[in-house]
Amino acid sequence: MTREQYADVIVDISHEKVDRPFQYRVPESLAGSLEAGMCVMVPFGSGNKLIKGYVMEVSSRCKFDPEKTKEIAKVADDGVAAQDKTMVLAGWLRRNYGSTMIQAVKTVLPAKKAVGRLEHKSLQRIMGKEEILSLLGECTRKKQRAKARLLQELVSQEEIPFEWITGKLGVSSSAVKSLEREGAVRVVSRRRFRNPVKFTERDSMLPVLSFAQQKIVDSVIADFDQGRRGAYLIHGITGSGKTEVYMRLIGETLKRGRQAIVLIPEIALTYQTLLRFFRRFGDRVSVMNSTLSQGEKYDQCARARNGEVDVVIGPRSALFTPFPNIGLIVIDEEHESSYKSESMPKYHARETAMEVARLHGASVVMGSATPSLETYFRARAGEYTLFTLKERLTGGMLPQVHIVDLREELRAGNRSIFSRKLQELLEERLKKGEQSMLFLNRRGYSGFISCRACGHVMKCPHCDVSLAEHRNGMLMCHYCGFQTAKPPVCPRCGSKYIMGFRAGTQQIEEKLKEMFPGVRTLRMDADTTRTKDSHERILSAFAAGEADVLIGTQMIVKGHDFPNVTLVGAIAADLSLCTGDFRAGERTFQLLTQAAGRAGRGSLPGQMVIQTYQPDHYAIVRAARQDYEGFYEEEILYREMLGYPPAAHMLAVQIYAKEEDKGMRLAELLAQSAKKTPVNLQIIGPAAASIGRINDIFRFVFYVKQQNYDKLIQTKDVLEKEIKRLQPKGETVQFDFDPLNVL
Ligand code: ADP
Ligand code: ZN
Ligand code: ZN
């Protein structure tokens, strides 16, 4: 006799309680064939009316009284084909990234929450332009910078949403109140974030596209109209006209009665960019960002579903906007790691966009100045069509880049964090009243050990990534768990200056003030950006000239234009080169290339200084020359040699446990059962994670490598079954395909 099976079914996907499925008995006729994601008809309520539902999970455990549990009537006639695209997508996420169906459904579906009082406050100008201008003059004289910034904006805008005032403009409510008292503005409340662009300010004339831009637009549209749905990569530096191409393509998409989704990483989603979209498309645009509440998100989705808007701009999750008939998905800055979800299912928006596009028959257009290896690899293989935009339309030259060898500095007796070149250039800027940016590309965990004399970095002999120093003094590999004692002297040159790098942003600020008394600094790092909007406030204060030097982590080099910045310094490029992650070279290249783009955006020529112990490393040399192709050629060789993505695929199986030994045992059991699958796999680990314990939860990880993604999915399925069988109590397991970060 077969055991009874039960299925969790959600009956109304627009209901707020999708996490409360109803349990039904699986009839014998369906035993073994019923799967999560399938659409079924079930009796519901006291009348037992048959309604449609979706299977979330099938198990052999009855949660209630078996006598009272109703039975599934049948699989819905319309079957898979007529299923809601959203549910198909949820099923795809579950299958491809490994999560429960509920987790997948929650990812694609905004929970229905009472929308409450939807209110967006905004500031309305009630004085005339002339009066505003004279008030602006007064505030500038009195050095009331925040008020001046706001007034400056009010010269051209009659109404400004409040969230922009406290956020992007960095103006406090006391400044607003004082302007209110002076009768310059009033606060108004609206039901909805209103399109800030008045009809008269809409674009009336579109710029004539350059030859290269036109060619992209023409080929994408020609493909679309001939029924070919492709994926396209636009490789072009910032200012080369990518956004203009996106907007033109969106225009063409709307003309064809289809909708468009534009993904932009939140950090790069500036007010200026949004205004461009509003100017072009007016009220048809809607923005999804993290400032929206659940209720507002739900409301936005309803508007998208009803056809009230047809362009949505936002980060990763905007991909799940329930448009009826998507024609185009744009992914700007496609290399950004924020496109990968960090909670289950750990999906990548780029891959998921391809599936959304397939379901809707849409095209996907990606853009980046430094494409991810994954995307460029596929473009090279002909899977994506590659376009290149070479010229900067905004003018401004690429900066002159100096690579400084820190080993030389030590030899010359300079033990300061600032090389002689950097000191000289900083002094020059301060004299001329130009601004500088100094950054530490510290990213995640980098407890690496290197030699200050010869630059030698301690690496894992098996994985070719940097080893990290642990509390017990051992050096450890984040992937395979290889351990070795920290050597007393450099194994290459015998120097005793072998050590970790510990300078933080705060220390840089202190040293800078010692070296240049009176220098005005702003600091942006995890400490100074804890509160909401502090990020934007620091950036806008810097843009307003309130400091000579902005010091920060890599967050300062992303997505902001400071025309007065003519010097950018990377204090220790090695920090991102030695993170113990196979993507370290790629990240360093991206970061340095982006940073170089920050210097000399205005009319003034810029310079950049890269300080490093590895001045010959290809990621550094190629970034200094802004040579993406050259970088790609070397990096892909490394990936191929060691079987890292995109040359192969990699699945991280992450185990979180309350008890250390139980966690390790589960990790070992799972690694064993992965080994037993008929698929030819390479298994690395298990090992304790790079940060072995967080909040009293122990973390273990092992990696599975395989050429073929589908075989990795099969492995995940085997592991899921094994986990179900073992029913661990104090341990949870997560899957991360082609992980972006070491755990
Ligand atoms: P990217 O997205 O690559 O950074 P943008 O599309 O923002 O580039 O273009 C950079 C600047 O050049 C913008 O100010 C934009 O308005 C302008 N621009 C873009 N295309 C054209 C064009 N064909 N003619 C004139 N100006 C253009
Ligand atoms: Zn050495
Ligand atoms: Zn290793």
Side-chain angles (χ1 to χ4, degrees):
M1 201 193 100
T2 53
R3 272 163 84 195
E4 290 266 42
Q5 281 195 322
Y6 298 89
D8 288 344
V9 175
I10 52 169
V11 292
D12 179 5
I13 56 169
S14 61
H15 195 266
E16 71 183 279
K17 286 181 177 156
V18 287
D19 50 344
R20 293 270 179 75
F22 296 92
Q23 204 174 37
Y24 286 89
R25 187 196 314 277
V26 178
E28 231 164 90
S29 58
L30 290 177
S33 65
L34 203 67
E35 274 180 44
M38 281 169 88
C39 183
V40 291
M41 301 302 287
V42 291
F44 194 75
S46 51
N48 281 335
K49 193 177 137 219
L50 280 191
I51 59 167
K52 213 177 192 177
Y54 293 93
V55 177
M56 294 294 110
E57 207 194 342
V58 181
S59 74
S60 54
R61 202 160 52 90
C62 186
K63 293 175 195 163
F64 307 99
D65 182 355
E67 294 297 305
K68 289 189 187 148
T69 301
K70 296 176 191 175
E71 197 171 80
I72 290 175
K74 57 179 177 174
V75 172
D77 298 328
D78 43 7
V80 181
Q83 262 186 42
D84 195 305
K85 282 174 192 155
T86 312
M87 293 306 287
V88 178
L89 188 60
W92 183 88
L93 283 174
R94 184 190 71 91
R95 196 181 107 75
N96 279 268
Y97 296 102
S99 70
T100 65
M101 191 63 193
I102 297 272
Q103 284 170 326
V105 169
K106 281 184 168 172
T107 304
V108 299
L109 219 58
K112 183 169 185 174
K113 286 261 164 67
V115 178
R117 243 186 37 243
L118 258 193
E119 245 184 30
H120 283 281
K121 282 204 276 186
S122 61
L123 210 58
Q124 220 171 40
R125 178 177 92 195
I126 44 180
M127 270 183 180
K129 248 187 202 180
E130 293 302 312
E131 287 166 286
I132 292 283
L133 280 171
S134 83
L135 204 54
L136 171 63
E138 196 181 312
C139 289
T140 314
R141 264 196 311 282
K142 289 191 196 155
K143 294 216 169 12
Q144 296 172 326
R145 291 207 173 87
K147 262 168 88 176
R149 275 204 298 280
L150 185 52
L151 286 165
Q152 183 72 55
E153 205 70 15
L154 283 166
V155 174
S156 54
Q157 298 280 320
E158 234 166 70
E159 186 171 329
I160 307 175
F162 228 82
E163 51 239 61
W164 294 108
I165 296 168
T166 50
K168 309 270 163 184
L169 291 174
V171 176
S172 67
S173 55
S174 68
V176 173
K177 286 224 178 72
S178 123
L179 283 177
E180 236 183 321
R181 271 197 307 276
E182 290 163 46
V185 295
R186 72 163 161 240
V187 177
V188 292
S189 285
R190 293 189 189 284
R191 218 183 90 67
R192 211 165 255 152
F193 177 82
R194 209 180 64 132
N195 168 7
V197 178
K198 279 197 305 185
F199 188 73
T200 47
E201 288 164 356
R202 297 269 308 271
D203 285 343
S204 46
M205 285 235 302
L206 307 185
V208 179
L209 293 184
S210 70
F211 182 76
Q213 285 174 315
Q214 190 68 51
K215 196 179 130 213
I216 303 175
V217 173
D218 289 347
S219 6
V220 176
I221 293 303
D223 278 355
F224 190 91
D225 285 343
Q226 287 160 25
R228 287 193 300 268
R229 296 295 183 268
Y232 309 83
L233 169 65
I234 307 176
H235 177 202
I237 55 172
T238 312
S240 62
K242 297 186 296 295
T243 307
E244 185 58 41
V245 171
Y246 304 152
M247 292 203 293
R248 217 53 82 87
L249 288 171
I250 293 165
E252 294 296 325
T253 305
L254 301 190
K255 268 189 216 156
R256 286 160 179 75
R258 311 280 294 263
Q259 303 85 41
I261 292 175
V262 184
L263 301 184
I264 298 182
E266 189 131 15
I267 195 160
L269 193 59
T270 62
Y271 190 35
Q272 298 312 318
T273 308
L274 281 185
L275 279 184
R276 278 175 78 183
F277 281 89
F278 279 117
R279 271 193 204 107
R280 188 69 57 90
F281 303 109
D283 296 327
R284 310 302 296 169
V285 179
S286 136
V287 182
M288 294 256 193
N289 59 22
S290 60
T291 66
L292 297 183
S293 69
Q294 271 297 330
E296 288 170 308
K297 274 188 190 142
Y298 186 83
D299 183 58
Q300 293 264 39
C301 282
R303 294 172 67 209
R305 197 177 286 127
N306 302 339
E308 279 177 58
V309 294
D310 33 27
V311 182
V312 155
I313 304 175
R316 187 174 77 215
S317 60
L319 189 55
F320 304 118
T321 307
F323 279 133
N325 199 3
I326 300 166
L328 175 70
I329 301 172
V330 171
I331 309 176
D332 193 30
E333 313 272 358
E334 68 74 35
H335 63 276
E336 273 290 322
S337 52
S338 63
Y339 283 129
K340 177 101 187 237
S341 165
E342 278 168 17
S343 53
M344 296 278 276
K346 298 188 177 183
Y347 70 92
H348 198 298
R350 199 198 307 127
E351 320 278 321
T352 310
M354 301 298 163
E355 179 63 12
V356 174
R358 197 187 62 77
L359 290 170
H360 284 258
S363 311
V364 178
V365 174
M366 298 166 276
S368 173
T370 51
S372 62
L373 263 263
E374 271 83 355
T375 299
Y376 209 72
F377 182 73
R378 290 184 192 158
R380 279 284 188 86
E383 206 177 311
Y384 304 156
T385 307
L386 176 65
F387 297 109
T388 313
L389 290 177
K390 290 208 171 69
E391 264 137 71
R392 212 177 219 186
L393 299 169
T394 40
M397 287 181 309
L398 288 171
Q400 187 188 359
V401 183
H402 312 270
I403 300 178
V404 172
D405 185 344
L406 288 175
R407 300 170 302 181
E408 290 290 344
E409 295 296 310
L410 185 74
R411 254 170 252 152
N414 176 18
R415 299 238 182 135
S416 139
I417 328 181
F418 309 111
S419 61
R420 290 160 297 172
K421 186 76 195 172
L422 187 56
Q423 289 176 23
E424 173 201 322
L425 293 178
L426 273 170
E427 193 169 350
E428 220 176 276
R429 302 303 117 153
L430 291 173
K431 275 202 193 113
K432 284 200 266 183
E434 294 171 8
Q435 291 177 302
S436 310
M437 287 166 74
L438 297 179
F439 74 101
L440 264 184
N441 29 343
R442 187 185 289 287
R443 192 182 183 290
Y445 185 79
S446 48
F448 72 99
I449 294 289
S450 71
C451 172
R452 296 296 154 85
C454 78
H456 179 71
V457 178
M458 295 296 293
K459 286 193 167 184
C460 174
H462 311 294
C463 306
D464 202 25
V465 297
S466 317
L467 295 172
E469 187 174 19
H470 276 243
R471 270 183 222 96
N472 57 8
M474 297 294 278
L475 301 180
M476 203 180 117
C477 171
H478 291 334
Y479 288 126
C480 69
F482 169 83
Q483 290 201 19
T484 181
K486 186 187 156 195
V489 296
C490 171
R492 185 155 82 191
C493 76
S495 157
K496 60 182 195 306
Y497 289 109
I498 179 154
M499 56 186 85
F501 187 96
R502 290 206 178 79
T505 43
Q506 209 170 342
Q507 200 189 347
I508 294 174
E509 189 176 33
E510 281 161 21
K511 299 278 179 207
L512 190 71
K513 288 188 162 159
E514 272 170 33
M515 188 162 283
F516 303 105
V519 63
R520 297 173 308 152
T521 60
L522 276 166
R523 182 159 60 89
M524 191 159 113
D525 52 28
D527 281 343
T528 61
T529 54
R530 247 178 230 144
T531 58
K532 199 173 160 233
D533 299 334
S534 48
H535 194 141
E536 291 298 335
R537 217 166 290 151
I538 296 169
L539 291 174
S540 42
F542 187 59
E546 288 169 34
D548 308 306
V549 185
L550 174 63
I551 299 157
T553 49
Q554 68 278 350
M555 61 172 97
I556 66 175
V557 302
K558 295 196 177 179
H560 292 269
D561 266 356
F562 304 106
N564 199 33
V565 168
T566 57
L567 173 65
V568 172
I571 299 295
D574 309 72
L575 279 172
S576 60
L577 265 186
C578 304
T579 51
D581 186 327
F582 72 87
R583 293 182 207 269
E586 180 177 3
R587 293 250 167 74
T588 305
F589 177 82
Q590 287 168 352
L591 212 51
L592 294 177
T593 308
Q594 263 170 9
R598 296 292 138 225
R601 291 305 290 277
S603 46
L604 306 165
Q607 302 206 45
M608 179 177 189
V609 174
I610 302 174
Q611 304 193 147
T612 175
Y613 289 98
Q614 302 172 70
D616 304 321
H617 194 289
Y618 62 89
I620 289 174
V621 175
R622 301 291 182 170
R625 287 193 217 140
Q626 304 267 317
D627 175 11
Y628 179 84
E629 290 275 330
F631 166 74
Y632 176 83
E633 297 294 347
E634 297 203 46
E635 181 68 15
I636 199 71
L637 275 183
Y638 162 71
R639 305 281 177 100
E640 275 165 359
M641 215 145 63
L642 286 131
Y644 287 127
H649 292 285
M650 197 162 163
L651 166 65
V653 182
Q654 306 165 339
I655 293 99
Y656 299 79
K658 289 203 183 101
E659 287 173 56
E660 191 171 13
D661 49 342
K662 281 195 180 161
M664 189 60 191
R665 206 169 58 238
L666 180 61
E668 270 161 4
L669 275 175
L670 292 178
Q672 283 302 328
S673 53
K675 258 178 216 151
K676 274 188 240 139
T677 54
V679 183
N680 185 21
L681 303 168
Q682 191 190 342
I683 293 174
I684 303 158
S690 60
I691 304 174
R693 182 164 73 165
I694 291 179
N695 289 335
D696 282 325
I697 299 289
F698 293 89
R699 313 189 318 159
F700 299 90
V701 61
F702 68 92
Y703 295 87
V704 186
K705 277 193 205 168
Q706 229 289 335
Q707 294 283 325
N708 183 317
Y709 196 90
D710 285 330
K711 290 192 177 155
L712 271 192
I713 293 180
Q714 285 168 27
T715 309
K716 180 240 352 172
D717 292 343
V718 168
L719 292 175
E720 270 180 344
K721 280 209 186 87
E722 184 66 8
I723 294 162
K724 231 178 193 171
R725 194 181 65 81
L726 294 167
Q727 297 211 1
K729 296 267 160 8
E731 299 87 42
T732 54
V733 181
Q734 298 194 356
F735 298 101
D736 191 352
F737 283 86
D738 289 345
L740 289 191
N741 297 303
V742 286
L743 180 71

